[in-house]
Amino acid sequence: MKKIGIISLSDRKSGFQTGHASTRRKTNILLKGPKNVKIGIPRAFYYHSYPGLWECFFRRLGHEPVVSPPSTQATLHKASAQTETEGCLPQKLFDGHVLSLIGKVDAVFVARIISIVKKYNCCPRFGALLDATRAGIARGVPLIPIEINETVAPLSKTLMKLARTTLGADTKTAKLAVKEAIEAMAQHHREEARRQREQTPGKRYLLLGHPYTLHDHFIADPMIKKMAQLQVPVELMSFAGSRHIKPGDILWCVFNQMYHKLHELDTQTYAGVIQISTFNCGADSMMADRFRRVCRQKGVPYMLLMMDEHTGKAGLDTRLEAFVDSLSWQKTGKAS
Amino acid sequence: MKERLAIPNLGNYTVALAAMVDGMGAEPWWSTYTHDHAMSLGIAAAPESVCLPFKAHLGHFLEADEAGVENAMMVNSIGACRLNYYRGMLDDTLKDMGRKIRLFGLGFDGFKPPVFRYFDPPIIPLLRAVFLGIEKIRTIDTIEIQTAFTRARELNTGETSLLTEHCLSELCGIDTKKRVQVFHKTVRERFKAIAIDKNRDPLRVGLIGEVSLLRDRQLNRNLEQILGHRGVETKNFFLLGGEIGNNFGISMGYKQQTARQLALVARPYLGCEVGGHARDSVAHTIHCAREGFDAMVHVCPTGCMPEVSIRPILRKVSEDMNIPVLELSFDEHTCALGVITRVEAFLDILQNRRRKGLTKAKSRGTS
Ligand code: SF4
């Protein structure tokens, strides 16, 4: 397998010393032409925000995408020595995923996401993600960077650029790959919606969270399993239609969507809302209060579940059981 | 009687903001730091996991409400960080608690910010007040710089801090631009009058990080004074004059601090604006390393999204450019003693580095 010539850290450093002009980030010169580069995709953040997109994209360009295995306690453990202690739980998981890829792949794919939806922004951690990864845990490891900023350029353009410059594909292949990748994501969303429709008859609970917490093996799975055990149907918050969202005063796109979703809730279909918050998430800390308020107005019971590295299964189970039980008692109490 | 308007804390710069509010036809209610009482009110009322500055602001406004102040004003931001939602959440929390205080944002709603519509200040005095305020900001910048310089060299510990307080309270009382200018000219002289040790070559440390923490001495446990009294010359990188120039493109005499230049400096390490002052922190660290500063102190509230997320980058800069960075994060449980211990240990290291000649000892002439 050929080595990839991404600007190495030492190059950047020397460029830095010679002055500003030369420090302009040159487009990373992946050698033109090499096929079948092993590209590592951490199963975190943007993997879940753009489900199905990246694998398809890289495969179409003739490379080999390698997605890190689902997160477990071990992922976290791996990261714990090097990751920033004050970071949020998903950030730590991300670091763990990157670490688990290093050494197994030729380059790691890391995105800097400034906005996923036009005119809206994301958590500031996403903006720093690429540079922080480069300076921190993935020091000296070749990265494939991408900057996603829908406010400036639509996703297809960004992908096109990545394919043409960094990955050195020709226009025709690139175009095809972009088209198929986006289609793959749409397909994924459709699947999800269909599954959702099929399995949620009657009253259900809404599980609220970020795409990367709801679909994370470590964070949300225990809860989903527990709910299944209790035999209460749950609906995961879906961000499928995320390209067109309603305007609102919340500029973080994910939270805006959640906010509008909550506004549309009705007590007929939803028995309750459970928000999964992750430890040290600054955005959640600001928004949870607001969401609780909306739910109170709507008359839908609301619970906040905080997940951190040490959250034990027992504690989680107890809280979920208590929540579900208390709601069913309420109902029967009213009926009698 | 004029209605009162509580304004948010911005450290010593609140003096200047107060002058502007005064011109708006409202009586300002302010303080240069968050009081203990306000802090405890804020901590009790705010959700546990929000960041420290929010608790401080909330407490500040609760205190204002207790004092019977009718209105309050809060800054808005359009960045990606939590500050953006402060106002909304403050509003909700205050309402939930049944407080009467009315909270205005600074955002434009139609043509005028609502706060202007409410007070409806006549335009000429308002402009005059704004210019007065800007002049005061300049003066405070000078006071800050002089304080940092003198405090590190003073012979009798504490004299400088006292003079700073004096200067500020005097500045408060001045209400025309002319007289502020005259006063501005005397500031330097006054600080010169303090007996200093001319031969001392103090450690030079840059302070970077989150604004409220840099400016509110209650929140940062008086970090600047702690450093100053241990003979360290600090450079606080939040000078409001520079900041205004930075945001609105008005030159206030800080050529090196416009957002674009900072972006350029930070570029090799950080390619985009993260939010808050994260990019500035990186840029200033690089700058200071070039200028031969001994170290940087990076302060932020615990869990601050932008500042925490750039820490790996700061570490890299620190290694590459040989400048130590002390990372301090503050929450409501941080006690001054803990900060002092950490700072003292850090200073020991710095002294040691100096002795070994590890710090670039160049261009150490400051005004
Ligand atoms: S939104 Fe919260 S969980 Fe997501 S990256 Fe930001 S701080 Fe972490």
Side-chain angles (χ1 to χ4, degrees):
Chain A
M1 205 141 294
K2 282 186 202 131
K3 272 259 163 293
I4 305 166
I6 291 186
I7 294 190
S8 71
L9 284 162
S10 58
D11 286 347
R12 296 172 68 243
K13 198 169 148 200
S14 64
F16 169 68
Q17 279 162 348
T18 45
H20 301 313
S22 57
T23 60
R24 287 271 156 74
R25 183 160 293 148
K26 300 167 204 137
T27 45
N28 287 320
I29 358 136
L30 248 177
L31 301 177
K32 298 266 160 171
K35 286 287 166 184
N36 201 11
V37 171
K38 262 197 188 171
I39 298 175
I41 309 172
R43 195 185 286 266
F45 291 148
Y46 42 83
Y47 175 80
H48 297 298
S49 303
Y50 294 97
L53 179 97
W54 306 116
E55 293 117 302
C56 176
F57 178 66
F58 290 126
R59 199 170 294 124
R60 283 292 154 219
L61 289 173
H63 302 292
E64 186 190 337
V66 179
V67 184
S68 56
S71 24
T72 54
Q73 186 80 44
T75 318
L76 213 51
H77 192 71
K78 206 175 283 165
S80 61
Q82 292 177 51
T83 187
E84 173 58 51
T85 39
E86 266 175 51
C88 58
L89 182 61
Q91 167 87 59
K92 290 180 185 168
L93 284 172
F94 174 83
D95 288 356
H97 281 291
V98 173
L99 284 174
S100 72
L101 284 169
I102 291 175
K104 298 199 185 91
V105 292
D106 300 319
V108 181
F109 170 66
V110 182
R112 167 196 296 149
I113 304 179
I114 294 171
S115 82
I116 297 184
V117 178
K118 199 169 177 176
K119 299 228 177 75
Y120 286 83
N121 56 23
C122 300
C123 168
R125 281 190 221 276
F126 283 4
L129 193 62
L130 172 59
D131 297 280
T133 310
R134 182 163 15 218
I137 43 161
R139 216 180 259 202
V141 176
L143 298 183
I144 293 181
I146 184 175
E147 174 170 324
I148 303 175
N149 188 350
E150 286 268 349
T151 314
V152 174
L155 183 64
S156 53
K157 274 224 178 95
T158 318
L159 289 178
M160 213 33 209
K161 201 166 129 213
L162 176 71
R164 293 283 294 123
T165 54
T166 318
L167 298 169
D170 57 74
T171 319
K172 212 171 131 208
T173 331
K175 256 197 189 138
L176 213 68
V178 171
K179 204 168 146 236
E180 283 191 25
I182 290 181
E183 181 48 39
M185 181 164 74
Q187 177 71 28
H188 196 283
H189 281 318
R190 276 197 296 273
E191 282 274 298
E192 197 187 279
R194 192 180 49 84
R195 226 176 311 138
Q196 204 70 261
R197 261 200 312 278
E198 278 170 9
Q199 59 143 246
T200 47
K203 248 182 160 174
R204 52 186 182 254
Y205 284 81
L206 178 68
L207 220 49
L208 214 58
H210 308 250
Y212 46 83
T213 51
L214 289 180
H215 298 286
D216 190 90
H217 188 75
F218 178 73
I219 300 175
D221 263 22
M223 299 183 202
I224 297 173
K225 282 211 189 94
K226 181 69 201 175
M227 294 301 267
Q229 213 180 42
L230 293 174
Q231 293 184 334
V232 280
V234 291
E235 176 189 329
L236 300 191
M237 171 76 199
S238 147
F239 299 89
S242 68
R243 308 311 126 180
H244 318 280
I245 64 177
K246 296 190 187 111
D249 60 338
I250 303 178
L251 278 181
W252 286 320
C253 59
V254 180
F255 286 93
N256 196 356
Q257 281 164 296
M258 291 190 213
Y259 187 65
H260 283 293
K261 174 85 187 175
L262 288 182
H263 261 290
E264 285 158 12
L265 288 191
D266 57 273
T267 35
Q268 297 306 317
T269 24
Y270 291 96
V273 174
I274 301 172
Q275 183 176 6
I276 304 178
S277 169
T278 46
F279 183 64
N280 239 345
C281 169
D284 278 351
S285 75
M286 235 39 213
M287 289 297 151
D289 213 49
R290 211 177 215 190
F291 291 168
R292 176 176 290 132
R293 211 161 270 142
V294 178
C295 286
R296 203 191 302 146
Q297 269 170 21
K298 289 260 154 195
V300 183
Y302 170 94
M303 177 170 74
L304 181 75
L305 268 187
M306 175 76 84
M307 276 296 286
D308 71 7
E309 289 129 84
H310 316 293
T311 305
K313 191 170 170 304
L316 204 79
D317 287 358
T318 319
R319 291 203 59 192
L320 283 174
E321 270 167 28
F323 187 59
V324 172
D325 279 354
S326 69
L327 292 187
S328 57
W329 287 335
Q330 206 178 31
K331 213 166 43 193
T332 46
K334 253 181 213 157
S336 63
Chain B
M1 208 189 101
K2 282 203 271 187
E3 275 192 33
R4 285 186 290 173
L5 178 69
I7 50 181
N9 260 328
L10 204 61
N12 295 342
Y13 289 102
T14 326
V15 173
L17 294 186
M20 295 195 197
V21 168
D22 205 25
M24 233 162 62
E27 191 187 322
W29 190 91
W30 56 279
S31 125
T32 54
Y33 66 96
T34 314
H35 302 137
D36 279 334
H37 177 56
M39 230 26 239
S40 52
L41 284 177
I43 292 166
E48 181 222 336
S49 51
V50 298
C51 47
L52 188 59
F54 179 84
K55 292 175 187 168
H57 282 301
L58 181 60
H60 184 65
F61 291 138
L62 283 173
E63 197 189 14
D65 185 68
E66 280 181 0
V69 178
E70 299 88 352
N71 306 294
M73 184 175 76
M74 184 61 202
V75 293
N76 286 39
S77 94
I78 45 163
C81 100
R82 274 183 267 195
L83 183 58
N84 208 346
Y85 308 99
Y86 267 23
R87 200 189 63 80
M89 196 161 155
L90 280 172
D91 214 12
D92 287 346
T93 317
L94 289 171
K95 281 217 184 86
D96 274 7
M97 295 177 73
R99 302 296 180 131
K100 291 217 182 54
I101 194 163
R102 213 178 290 117
L103 190 68
F104 291 104
L106 266 185
F108 287 82
D109 160 15
F111 184 58
K112 282 184 192 168
V115 62
F116 281 2
R117 210 173 300 145
Y118 183 76
F119 285 102
D120 203 16
I123 199 78
I124 306 274
L126 178 68
L127 279 181
R128 202 175 288 143
V130 168
F131 285 125
L132 173 70
I134 291 180
E135 202 54 46
K136 284 197 178 181
I137 290 176
R138 284 210 181 109
T139 314
I140 298 169
D141 277 358
T142 313
I143 296 178
E144 289 283 340
I145 293 168
Q146 289 297 328
T147 307
F149 178 81
T150 319
R151 186 147 59 195
R153 294 172 173 80
E154 67 191 357
L155 289 175
N156 307 321
T157 308
E159 235 177 316
T160 316
S161 307
L162 222 68
L163 179 62
T164 311
E165 290 297 313
H166 272 308
C167 281
L168 285 173
S169 63
E170 210 166 302
L171 186 64
C172 270
I174 306 180
D175 53 5
T176 63
K177 191 177 158 191
K178 274 267 155 49
R179 281 174 43 217
V180 174
Q181 276 166 340
V182 173
F183 175 77
H184 193 164
K185 294 219 177 78
T186 65
V187 169
R188 240 166 247 254
E189 301 303 314
R190 290 201 188 188
F191 278 93
K192 284 250 168 66
I194 292 179
I196 60 166
D197 179 356
K198 288 232 168 57
N199 298 322
R200 198 187 287 172
D201 184 11
L203 291 169
R204 285 204 301 158
V205 168
L207 294 178
I208 47 172
E210 201 273 340
V211 181
S212 318
L213 260 288
L214 282 179
R215 276 301 163 207
D216 192 327
R217 66 167 186 263
Q218 161 81 17
L219 297 188
N220 67 24
R221 310 289 163 206
N222 225 342
L223 182 64
E224 267 181 284
Q225 211 179 63
I226 293 176
L227 285 166
H229 284 174
R230 279 159 187 73
V232 179
E233 186 178 341
T234 54
K235 181 161 182 188
N236 191 325
F237 276 97
F238 187 77
L239 290 177
L240 191 61
E243 183 66 17
I244 292 177
N246 194 334
N247 282 345
F248 298 105
I250 313 164
S251 168
M252 299 269 290
Y254 300 90
K255 281 284 153 51
Q256 296 226 303
Q257 282 206 12
T258 65
R260 276 190 59 195
Q261 269 152 333
L262 290 176
L264 220 57
V265 175
R267 194 101 168 235
Y269 288 96
L270 181 60
C272 76
E273 184 193 29
V274 176
H277 285 70
R279 183 163 64 181
D280 302 10
S281 297
V282 175
H284 288 314
T285 310
I286 297 172
H287 251 315
C288 288
R290 290 204 188 124
E291 276 177 24
F293 272 63
D294 288 281
M296 305 300 281
V297 177
H298 180 234
V299 297
C300 68
T302 305
C304 172
M305 295 193 277
E307 301 290 346
V308 167
S309 62
I310 59 153
R311 276 188 180 168
I313 304 175
L314 284 181
R315 264 171 236 154
K316 181 86 174 43
V317 176
S318 156
E319 268 170 47
D320 285 358
M321 309 199 63
N322 187 24
I323 181 166
V325 178
L326 175 66
E327 293 163 353
L328 290 178
S329 49
F330 293 81
D331 62 13
E332 58 268 35
H333 306 300
T334 312
C335 76
L337 219 58
V339 176
I340 293 177
T341 317
R342 294 193 61 188
V343 165
E344 279 181 347
F346 186 60
L347 293 182
D348 277 347
I349 296 173
L350 295 185
Q351 294 288 8
N352 233 335
R353 277 169 59 94
R354 266 232 176 142
R355 238 171 281 133
K356 287 188 188 149
L358 282 173
T359 327
K360 289 177 254 169
K362 67 166 188 201
S363 65
R364 203 163 274 131
T366 11
S367 65

